[in-house]
Amino acid sequence: MLANCVLPPHHTQETFSKAVEELHALLGRENVDTVESNNLDDGSYYEPPKTHDPFHILDQTEYVASIVIRPASTEDVQGIVKIANTHRVPLWPVSIGRNFGYGGAAPRVRGSAVVDLGARMNKVIDINEPQAFALVEPGVTYKALYEEIQRRGLKLWIDVPDLGGGSVLGNTLERGAGYTPYGDHFMVHCGMEVVLPNGEVVRTGMGAMPDPSHPTGSANTWQLFPYGFGPYHDGIFTQSNYGIVTKMGLWLLPDPGGYQAFMISFEKDEDLHQAIETIRPLRIAGILQNAPSIRSATLDIAVAGKRAEFSSTGKPLTEEEIEAAIEKVDTGIGRWTFYGALYGPEPVRDIFWAAIKGAFGKIPNAKFYFPQDLPEKKGSVLHIRDGTLRGVPSFTELEWTKFVDNGSALFFSPISPVTGEDAEKHYELAKRRHAEFGFDYLGTFTIGMRELHHIICVVYDRTNTEQKARAYKMLRLMVKDYAELGYGEYRTHLSLMDAVADTYNWNNNSIMKLNETLKDALDPNDILAPGKSGVWPKQYRESQ
Ligand code: ADP
């Protein structure tokens, strides 16, 4: 039964079979799948595999699971944790497991048991319209939450990331971002339920206050006030291996009573500097109301078509080819294109728009568009963003992965201040490395509250081993390059977690010492997500 299964470290078929038998008894055989590592299917965004990373940058089986298990309740998760402690089986919890461009559902340690929380724990537990919040289980996707709000006819909006198929809870735990005024997902979450590695369940914030009369059994302020009393813990359960989150609250936006997406395109590559300088004061003052983004021409070109449609060389697009492609796609884009939105009734929007137009109008040849000004056609990013910026889940954004054959994507995401000088440094560095290694630079800067998330989308052919090795070499170098300039990644792919963690080493790596102290205290048997974000449990550290 375990013939082609990659076993967890230090296990034999015999020892692992015992754990699997106990899991069968707990969850039912039908909720425990054995993974045949010689028969992996990369699936698609719509049917993502839970067994490995479909966008493998290393070998397909490098990050492969031994089994995939599907709990139905918090009690099941506690039971799984108990079995894992007894048999020392590493667990890798995922909510939906899409985790697009960061490793999918794959575990960092080969042979871990992937805990597919979303398969059966997918209830929207509560949506409260007047107080504008929701409480969800791990399997609730952005699409599902959106549809539930529509079904109930509520005057509420959600914030969505680029793609609508991810888990609301999973994305928040990874500190993912969206594009409405609630674009910082961790900032607008409120309250968690967490199974600790020792099997104990905690509720954070006001959730620690019991109220037997409330349907959740916790205080009716659990989703209203994030902090509760005493130490605030929620942050340590994000991008971490300290707990399995089984419920999470989040704030929803009340329908603002009006909306208008817009796009501003800039003619020259050098305009990035002035555009960013224009964005900063507007964003900090709240005149740019949402988390907008400014995208490179190449990213928008890649949404419109394959590289071969814009170049016959098989090489990255040249400056001239980029200029020609902008003309060819004819979607109003420039060398850089800014996508934002106005929220509120018309008079409110008019005031904001006048301020925004006045400021960006100082950049020579900046062009302003509303979606209604342009034909809706393939590759029109403004029409896609029109939905995303008002929280309508989209599946179209992944089109740019098809830019190359067998296109796969990995995100490289360093953080920058919102200054022209910093953005330029980020861009120059990425552009230089991409040219050196023969990749197209497809990038976007998303503007948060005070920072830029520079999201570089590295697209490669996953059937081409040489190309993958080249991309991986470039990525490893870029971790170092950016760190030398003082920039760090906010999130990363499995294969770069150690490298990125190593760059956060101020004061003799004191943050990693704290991480490891917490890890050893909370997870003495080393069972939960070893290696997540570069945090290794004790026995793994000692054997390295
Ligand atoms: P997506 O929403 O994109 O499908 P995933 O469900 O794959 O995201 O989650 C991304 C990552 O977040 C996982 O690889 C895991 O490290 C972490 N994670 C997701 N859900 C949980 C959870 N419920 N408890 C703890 N960690 C989680």
mmCIF file of all heavy atoms in Angstrom, residues 19-46:
data_model
loop_
_atom_site.group_PDB
_atom_site.id
_atom_site.type_symbol
_atom_site.label_atom_id
_atom_site.label_comp_id
_atom_site.label_asym_id
_atom_site.label_seq_id
_atom_site.Cartn_x
_atom_site.Cartn_y
_atom_site.Cartn_z
ATOM 1 N N ALA A 19 0.843 4.614 12.073
ATOM 2 C CA ALA A 19 0.227 5.945 12.130
ATOM 3 C C ALA A 19 -0.951 6.025 11.148
ATOM 4 O O ALA A 19 -2.024 6.539 11.478
ATOM 5 C CB ALA A 19 1.269 7.008 11.797
ATOM 6 N N VAL A 20 -0.731 5.478 9.947
ATOM 7 C CA VAL A 20 -1.784 5.536 8.915
ATOM 8 C C VAL A 20 -3.028 4.761 9.383
ATOM 9 O O VAL A 20 -4.165 5.217 9.204
ATOM 10 C CB VAL A 20 -1.251 5.004 7.560
ATOM 11 C CG1 VAL A 20 -2.366 4.904 6.531
ATOM 12 C CG2 VAL A 20 -0.143 5.914 7.033
ATOM 13 N N GLU A 21 -2.798 3.627 10.012
ATOM 14 C CA GLU A 21 -3.952 2.852 10.520
ATOM 15 C C GLU A 21 -4.748 3.658 11.548
ATOM 16 O O GLU A 21 -5.981 3.665 11.538
ATOM 17 C CB GLU A 21 -3.462 1.556 11.170
ATOM 18 C CG GLU A 21 -3.318 0.422 10.172
ATOM 19 C CD GLU A 21 -2.454 -0.707 10.736
ATOM 20 O OE1 GLU A 21 -2.483 -0.927 11.970
ATOM 21 O OE2 GLU A 21 -1.747 -1.338 9.941
ATOM 22 N N GLU A 22 -4.046 4.355 12.427
ATOM 23 C CA GLU A 22 -4.760 5.173 13.423
ATOM 24 C C GLU A 22 -5.526 6.316 12.749
ATOM 25 O O GLU A 22 -6.617 6.689 13.177
ATOM 26 C CB GLU A 22 -3.775 5.720 14.467
ATOM 27 C CG GLU A 22 -3.292 4.626 15.404
ATOM 28 C CD GLU A 22 -2.346 5.141 16.485
ATOM 29 O OE1 GLU A 22 -2.457 6.300 16.895
ATOM 30 O OE2 GLU A 22 -1.479 4.348 16.908
ATOM 31 N N LEU A 23 -4.930 6.851 11.681
ATOM 32 C CA LEU A 23 -5.634 7.915 10.949
ATOM 33 C C LEU A 23 -6.870 7.360 10.247
ATOM 34 O O LEU A 23 -7.922 8.020 10.200
ATOM 35 C CB LEU A 23 -4.684 8.584 9.941
ATOM 36 C CG LEU A 23 -3.603 9.461 10.575
ATOM 37 C CD1 LEU A 23 -2.492 9.785 9.582
ATOM 38 C CD2 LEU A 23 -4.202 10.766 11.126
ATOM 39 N N HIS A 24 -6.771 6.140 9.731
ATOM 40 C CA HIS A 24 -7.956 5.489 9.130
ATOM 41 C C HIS A 24 -9.060 5.392 10.167
ATOM 42 O O HIS A 24 -10.232 5.694 9.887
ATOM 43 C CB HIS A 24 -7.609 4.070 8.661
ATOM 44 C CG HIS A 24 -6.848 4.039 7.386
ATOM 45 N ND1 HIS A 24 -6.162 2.920 6.960
ATOM 46 C CD2 HIS A 24 -6.642 4.980 6.434
ATOM 47 C CE1 HIS A 24 -5.593 3.168 5.791
ATOM 48 N NE2 HIS A 24 -5.863 4.418 5.465
ATOM 49 N N ALA A 25 -8.681 4.981 11.371
ATOM 50 C CA ALA A 25 -9.699 4.799 12.420
ATOM 51 C C ALA A 25 -10.325 6.140 12.804
ATOM 52 O O ALA A 25 -11.523 6.232 13.062
ATOM 53 C CB ALA A 25 -9.058 4.137 13.639
ATOM 54 N N LEU A 26 -9.509 7.182 12.789
ATOM 55 C CA LEU A 26 -10.020 8.514 13.200
ATOM 56 C C LEU A 26 -10.900 9.142 12.125
ATOM 57 O O LEU A 26 -11.982 9.667 12.411
ATOM 58 C CB LEU A 26 -8.825 9.444 13.489
ATOM 59 C CG LEU A 26 -9.177 10.894 13.852
ATOM 60 C CD1 LEU A 26 -9.751 10.975 15.262
ATOM 61 C CD2 LEU A 26 -7.951 11.803 13.751
ATOM 62 N N LEU A 27 -10.420 9.088 10.869
ATOM 63 C CA LEU A 27 -11.073 9.881 9.807
ATOM 64 C C LEU A 27 -11.868 9.047 8.816
ATOM 65 O O LEU A 27 -12.630 9.603 8.020
ATOM 66 C CB LEU A 27 -10.008 10.663 9.017
ATOM 67 C CG LEU A 27 -9.087 11.589 9.821
ATOM 68 C CD1 LEU A 27 -7.968 12.115 8.945
ATOM 69 C CD2 LEU A 27 -9.875 12.746 10.420
ATOM 70 N N GLY A 28 -11.672 7.737 8.853
ATOM 71 C CA GLY A 28 -12.244 6.876 7.805
ATOM 72 C C GLY A 28 -11.237 6.755 6.680
ATOM 73 O O GLY A 28 -10.573 7.735 6.334
ATOM 74 N N ARG A 29 -11.150 5.539 6.115
ATOM 75 C CA ARG A 29 -10.173 5.295 5.037
ATOM 76 C C ARG A 29 -10.315 6.291 3.892
ATOM 77 O O ARG A 29 -9.339 6.703 3.260
ATOM 78 C CB ARG A 29 -10.405 3.900 4.443
ATOM 79 C CG ARG A 29 -9.686 2.839 5.163
ATOM 80 C CD ARG A 29 -9.971 1.461 4.635
ATOM 81 N NE ARG A 29 -9.277 0.540 5.506
ATOM 82 C CZ ARG A 29 -8.006 0.192 5.345
ATOM 83 N NH1 ARG A 29 -7.310 0.635 4.332
ATOM 84 N NH2 ARG A 29 -7.419 -0.614 6.214
ATOM 85 N N GLU A 30 -11.576 6.667 3.621
ATOM 86 C CA GLU A 30 -11.813 7.526 2.455
ATOM 87 C C GLU A 30 -11.221 8.925 2.635
ATOM 88 O O GLU A 30 -11.133 9.683 1.666
ATOM 89 C CB GLU A 30 -13.321 7.591 2.146
ATOM 90 C CG GLU A 30 -14.217 8.277 3.179
ATOM 91 C CD GLU A 30 -14.498 7.437 4.443
ATOM 92 O OE1 GLU A 30 -13.870 6.363 4.622
ATOM 93 O OE2 GLU A 30 -15.331 7.883 5.255
ATOM 94 N N ASN A 31 -10.816 9.256 3.846
ATOM 95 C CA ASN A 31 -10.241 10.585 4.077
ATOM 96 C C ASN A 31 -8.738 10.556 4.333
ATOM 97 O O ASN A 31 -8.173 11.516 4.866
ATOM 98 C CB ASN A 31 -10.976 11.275 5.228
ATOM 99 C CG ASN A 31 -12.385 11.630 4.806
ATOM 100 O OD1 ASN A 31 -12.567 12.269 3.766
ATOM 101 N ND2 ASN A 31 -13.378 11.165 5.557
ATOM 102 N N VAL A 32 -8.133 9.455 3.922
ATOM 103 C CA VAL A 32 -6.670 9.343 4.007
ATOM 104 C C VAL A 32 -6.182 8.800 2.662
ATOM 105 O O VAL A 32 -6.440 7.656 2.318
ATOM 106 C CB VAL A 32 -6.251 8.374 5.148
ATOM 107 C CG1 VAL A 32 -4.729 8.283 5.236
ATOM 108 C CG2 VAL A 32 -6.853 8.800 6.490
ATOM 109 N N ASP A 33 -5.524 9.640 1.883
ATOM 110 C CA ASP A 33 -5.010 9.185 0.583
ATOM 111 C C ASP A 33 -3.511 8.957 0.685
ATOM 112 O O ASP A 33 -2.793 9.792 1.248
ATOM 113 C CB ASP A 33 -5.190 10.276 -0.491
ATOM 114 C CG ASP A 33 -6.643 10.556 -0.793
ATOM 115 O OD1 ASP A 33 -7.497 9.730 -0.427
ATOM 116 O OD2 ASP A 33 -6.905 11.623 -1.386
ATOM 117 N N THR A 34 -3.054 7.875 0.101
ATOM 118 C CA THR A 34 -1.607 7.652 0.014
ATOM 119 C C THR A 34 -1.127 8.241 -1.302
ATOM 120 O O THR A 34 -1.784 8.094 -2.340
ATOM 121 C CB THR A 34 -1.313 6.145 0.030
ATOM 122 O OG1 THR A 34 -1.954 5.596 1.172
ATOM 123 C CG2 THR A 34 0.178 5.885 0.136
ATOM 124 N N VAL A 35 0.008 8.920 -1.251
ATOM 125 C CA VAL A 35 0.508 9.592 -2.455
ATOM 126 C C VAL A 35 1.518 8.699 -3.163
ATOM 127 O O VAL A 35 2.494 8.259 -2.557
ATOM 128 C CB VAL A 35 1.180 10.934 -2.068
ATOM 129 C CG1 VAL A 35 1.740 11.626 -3.302
ATOM 130 C CG2 VAL A 35 0.193 11.831 -1.331
ATOM 131 N N GLU A 36 1.243 8.444 -4.433
ATOM 132 C CA GLU A 36 2.202 7.672 -5.235
ATOM 133 C C GLU A 36 3.136 8.655 -5.924
ATOM 134 O O GLU A 36 2.739 9.336 -6.865
ATOM 135 C CB GLU A 36 1.460 6.829 -6.264
ATOM 136 C CG GLU A 36 0.706 5.698 -5.618
ATOM 137 C CD GLU A 36 0.087 4.770 -6.658
ATOM 138 O OE1 GLU A 36 0.533 4.772 -7.824
ATOM 139 O OE2 GLU A 36 -0.837 4.048 -6.279
ATOM 140 N N SER A 37 4.355 8.718 -5.437
ATOM 141 C CA SER A 37 5.267 9.758 -5.921
ATOM 142 C C SER A 37 5.697 9.527 -7.369
ATOM 143 O O SER A 37 6.255 10.421 -8.009
ATOM 144 C CB SER A 37 6.497 9.834 -5.018
ATOM 145 O OG SER A 37 7.196 8.622 -5.084
ATOM 146 N N ASN A 38 5.432 8.338 -7.904
ATOM 147 C CA ASN A 38 5.788 8.087 -9.307
ATOM 148 C C ASN A 38 4.608 8.367 -10.241
ATOM 149 O O ASN A 38 4.649 8.067 -11.413
ATOM 150 C CB ASN A 38 6.253 6.633 -9.486
ATOM 151 C CG ASN A 38 5.162 5.661 -9.095
ATOM 152 O OD1 ASN A 38 4.193 6.050 -8.424
ATOM 153 N ND2 ASN A 38 5.303 4.420 -9.511
ATOM 154 N N ASN A 39 3.563 8.927 -9.688
ATOM 155 C CA ASN A 39 2.359 9.128 -10.492
ATOM 156 C C ASN A 39 1.691 10.455 -10.123
ATOM 157 O O ASN A 39 0.540 10.499 -9.721
ATOM 158 C CB ASN A 39 1.402 7.953 -10.226
ATOM 159 C CG ASN A 39 0.230 7.941 -11.168
ATOM 160 O OD1 ASN A 39 0.292 8.562 -12.232
ATOM 161 N ND2 ASN A 39 -0.849 7.273 -10.775
ATOM 162 N N LEU A 40 2.472 11.549 -10.229
ATOM 163 C CA LEU A 40 1.955 12.846 -9.793
ATOM 164 C C LEU A 40 1.352 13.594 -10.976
ATOM 165 O O LEU A 40 1.908 13.592 -12.074
ATOM 166 C CB LEU A 40 3.084 13.673 -9.175
ATOM 167 C CG LEU A 40 3.741 13.074 -7.930
ATOM 168 C CD1 LEU A 40 4.956 13.895 -7.519
ATOM 169 C CD2 LEU A 40 2.728 13.004 -6.776
ATOM 170 N N ASP A 41 0.244 14.238 -10.710
ATOM 171 C CA ASP A 41 -0.440 14.991 -11.757
ATOM 172 C C ASP A 41 -0.404 16.477 -11.371
ATOM 173 O O ASP A 41 -0.880 16.843 -10.289
ATOM 174 C CB ASP A 41 -1.892 14.486 -11.857
ATOM 175 C CG ASP A 41 -2.685 15.222 -12.921
ATOM 176 O OD1 ASP A 41 -2.140 16.167 -13.532
ATOM 177 O OD2 ASP A 41 -3.865 14.858 -13.116
ATOM 178 N N ASP A 42 0.152 17.319 -12.250
ATOM 179 C CA ASP A 42 0.255 18.745 -11.929
ATOM 180 C C ASP A 42 -1.103 19.452 -11.914
ATOM 181 O O ASP A 42 -1.205 20.584 -11.431
ATOM 182 C CB ASP A 42 1.194 19.456 -12.916
ATOM 183 C CG ASP A 42 2.649 19.067 -12.703
ATOM 184 O OD1 ASP A 42 2.977 18.576 -11.599
ATOM 185 O OD2 ASP A 42 3.458 19.241 -13.635
ATOM 186 N N GLY A 43 -2.139 18.825 -12.430
ATOM 187 C CA GLY A 43 -3.485 19.390 -12.377
ATOM 188 C C GLY A 43 -3.560 20.769 -13.028
ATOM 189 O O GLY A 43 -2.877 21.054 -13.996
ATOM 190 N N SER A 44 -4.391 21.634 -12.447
ATOM 191 C CA SER A 44 -4.560 22.982 -12.992
ATOM 192 C C SER A 44 -4.993 23.878 -11.843
ATOM 193 O O SER A 44 -5.227 23.392 -10.730
ATOM 194 C CB SER A 44 -5.669 22.980 -14.051
ATOM 195 O OG SER A 44 -6.914 22.716 -13.398
ATOM 196 N N TYR A 45 -5.115 25.180 -12.110
ATOM 197 C CA TYR A 45 -5.571 26.087 -11.035
ATOM 198 C C TYR A 45 -6.934 25.631 -10.510
ATOM 199 O O TYR A 45 -7.211 25.714 -9.313
ATOM 200 C CB TYR A 45 -5.663 27.536 -11.531
ATOM 201 C CG TYR A 45 -6.031 28.475 -10.395
ATOM 202 C CD1 TYR A 45 -5.068 28.878 -9.465
ATOM 203 C CD2 TYR A 45 -7.348 28.918 -10.217
ATOM 204 C CE1 TYR A 45 -5.393 29.697 -8.401
ATOM 205 C CE2 TYR A 45 -7.675 29.743 -9.158
ATOM 206 C CZ TYR A 45 -6.699 30.130 -8.252
ATOM 207 O OH TYR A 45 -7.030 30.934 -7.187
ATOM 208 N N TYR A 46 -7.765 25.112 -11.417
ATOM 209 C CA TYR A 46 -9.122 24.722 -11.016
ATOM 210 C C TYR A 46 -9.115 23.417 -10.234
ATOM 211 O O TYR A 46 -9.971 23.182 -9.393
ATOM 212 C CB TYR A 46 -10.021 24.644 -12.256
ATOM 213 C CG TYR A 46 -10.034 25.962 -12.978
ATOM 214 C CD1 TYR A 46 -9.188 26.209 -14.066
ATOM 215 C CD2 TYR A 46 -10.837 27.012 -12.528
ATOM 216 C CE1 TYR A 46 -9.155 27.449 -14.684
ATOM 217 C CE2 TYR A 46 -10.817 28.259 -13.142
ATOM 218 C CZ TYR A 46 -9.970 28.473 -14.216
ATOM 219 O OH TYR A 46 -9.926 29.712 -14.811
#
